Amino acid sequence: MNRLRDQYDALLLDLDGTLYRGPDVIVGAPEALAPDGDSAQRLVYVTNNASRGPGAVAHHLDGLGYPATADDVVTSAQAAARMLSERLSPGDRVLVVGTDDLAAEVKAVGLEPIRRFDDTPPAAVVQGHSPTTAWPDLAEAAYALRSGALWIAANADRTLPNERGLAPGNGSMVAALATASDREPLVAGKPFAPLMEDAIERAGTRRSLVVGDRLDTDIEGANGLGLDSLLVLTGVSTLDEALGAPTSRIPTYIAATLDALNDAAPVEAAAPADIAELLRQYPGRAVRVRAADSEIR
């Protein structure tokens, strides 16, 4: 059978809303990605969430039934640290708004992570999701930004899906700091290029399929780099949103779940109005919404 996944050498997989939601695994997703004799794709797990290091992410994925090691995980914290290292000098101080894992990534590239400063402002502020970020953390960052510090946000996701619904994401905290500082950050995570470029490098191939649940991050990020994408309807973005999306957010394929990776080649939609009906007629398959980037080129 000519499966969707067999057209690609790597799958660049989003996590929140695609593989799990909060602590709960998305039913059927581990089985859809389980290795078999016919699966030769490299699985690269690509997360905008900067709160955990790649080892912790891999341990979590492995516990949920996904085959993963730290080398298979690419995080926005790593991408943000790389961006800092390209713009700063070794040993420069970086104010961290986020978890200790984000601070560890900053230290790993030869910079000094700090949480507070006195008279001398840090060279940069890096901001990533942490459920414990509070007013004093944002205030300290605002002081640094108004003193001219470089600002890099790991990601700008406004929401974070969990088992109860949509909670505030890092982008909500970034918006608060933008208001307080009259500044806008450089962003490492999807849909911006740095994280996706790191994922392609880790996969070792541009013949990759981006798989995710968000039009504004996963799909827009894939389109920006000329990669094919699969939107799964298990997380944030809905089918109605996909049908009304601007060109920059139109996926190559839409499917109800990850099962579509292992089913027959996608069915073709002659017009957007056909997509919903085709998903009902072929519940285990993907619907191709537009030409693959490989065909466009």
Side-chain angles (χ1 to χ4, degrees):
M1 179 172 61
N2 182 24
R3 303 180 305 172
L4 173 58
R5 69 188 298 169
D6 295 332
Q7 301 175 37
Y8 301 94
D9 294 331
L11 304 178
L12 308 185
L13 299 154
D14 177 58
L15 304 187
D16 295 326
T18 302
L19 305 185
Y20 55 77
R21 190 180 296 106
D24 300 326
V25 68
I26 291 176
V27 176
E31 292 77 14
L33 294 176
D36 59 45
D38 298 323
S39 300
Q41 298 81 25
R42 172 77 190 274
L43 303 184
V44 179
Y45 302 95
V46 188
T47 178
N48 259 6
N49 192 328
S51 65
R52 297 182 297 172
V57 173
H59 180 74
H60 180 209
L61 289 170
D62 191 64
L64 293 176
Y66 299 102
T69 68
D71 287 340
D72 300 321
V73 176
V74 181
T75 75
S76 63
Q78 293 172 309
R82 174 175 65 82
M83 292 175 68
L84 288 166
S85 70
E86 293 169 348
R87 291 164 172 80
L88 303 179
S89 300
D92 278 351
R93 297 190 306 160
V94 176
L95 182 73
V96 176
V97 180
T99 65
D100 289 343
D101 282 349
L102 175 58
E105 296 293 348
V106 172
K107 187 173 183 179
V109 297
L111 301 169
E112 181 185 351
I114 63 171
R115 298 288 186 175
R116 298 287 185 269
F117 68 94
D118 294 319
D119 296 331
T120 304
V125 172
V126 65
Q127 185 174 7
H129 172 70
S130 170
T132 62
T133 294
W135 184 90
D137 305 303
L138 295 177
E140 197 75 6
Y143 304 145
L145 293 178
R146 287 193 173 275
S147 297
L150 171 71
W151 184 17
I152 291 180
N155 75 294
D157 295 17
R158 292 176 300 166
T159 59
L160 181 67
N162 62 30
E163 71 280 8
R164 295 183 61 187
L166 295 179
N170 191 53
S172 295
M173 295 295 192
V174 168
L177 190 50
T179 299
S181 66
D182 292 322
R183 297 271 304 275
E184 293 293 335
L186 300 173
V187 182
K190 300 173 284 185
F192 297 93
L195 176 58
M196 295 300 293
E197 290 171 341
D198 286 357
I200 293 169
E201 182 177 354
R202 189 72 59 86
T205 177
R206 290 190 62 86
R207 195 167 176 262
S208 299
L209 178 68
V210 176
V211 183
D213 70 301
R214 295 185 73 129
L215 295 165
D216 59 340
T217 56
D218 307 308
I219 307 308
E220 186 173 338
N223 289 341
L225 290 177
L227 301 177
D228 292 350
S229 60
L230 169 65
L231 175 72
V232 289
L233 303 175
T234 54
V236 173
S237 294
T238 66
L239 180 57
D240 285 343
E241 289 170 342
L243 295 178
T247 302
S248 63
R249 295 180 179 179
I250 295 176
T252 314
Y253 314 103
I254 297 177
T257 69
L258 286 176
D259 290 337
L261 289 169
N262 299 309
D263 214 313
V267 294
E268 303 283 343
D274 299 334
I275 295 172
E277 180 58 31
L278 288 171
L279 287 172
R280 283 191 289 269
Q281 289 182 23
Y282 304 96
R285 293 173 67 180
V287 174
R288 183 149 89 166
V289 179
R290 63 173 178 84
D293 276 296
S294 58
E295 297 171 0
I296 295 172
R297 292 194 296 271

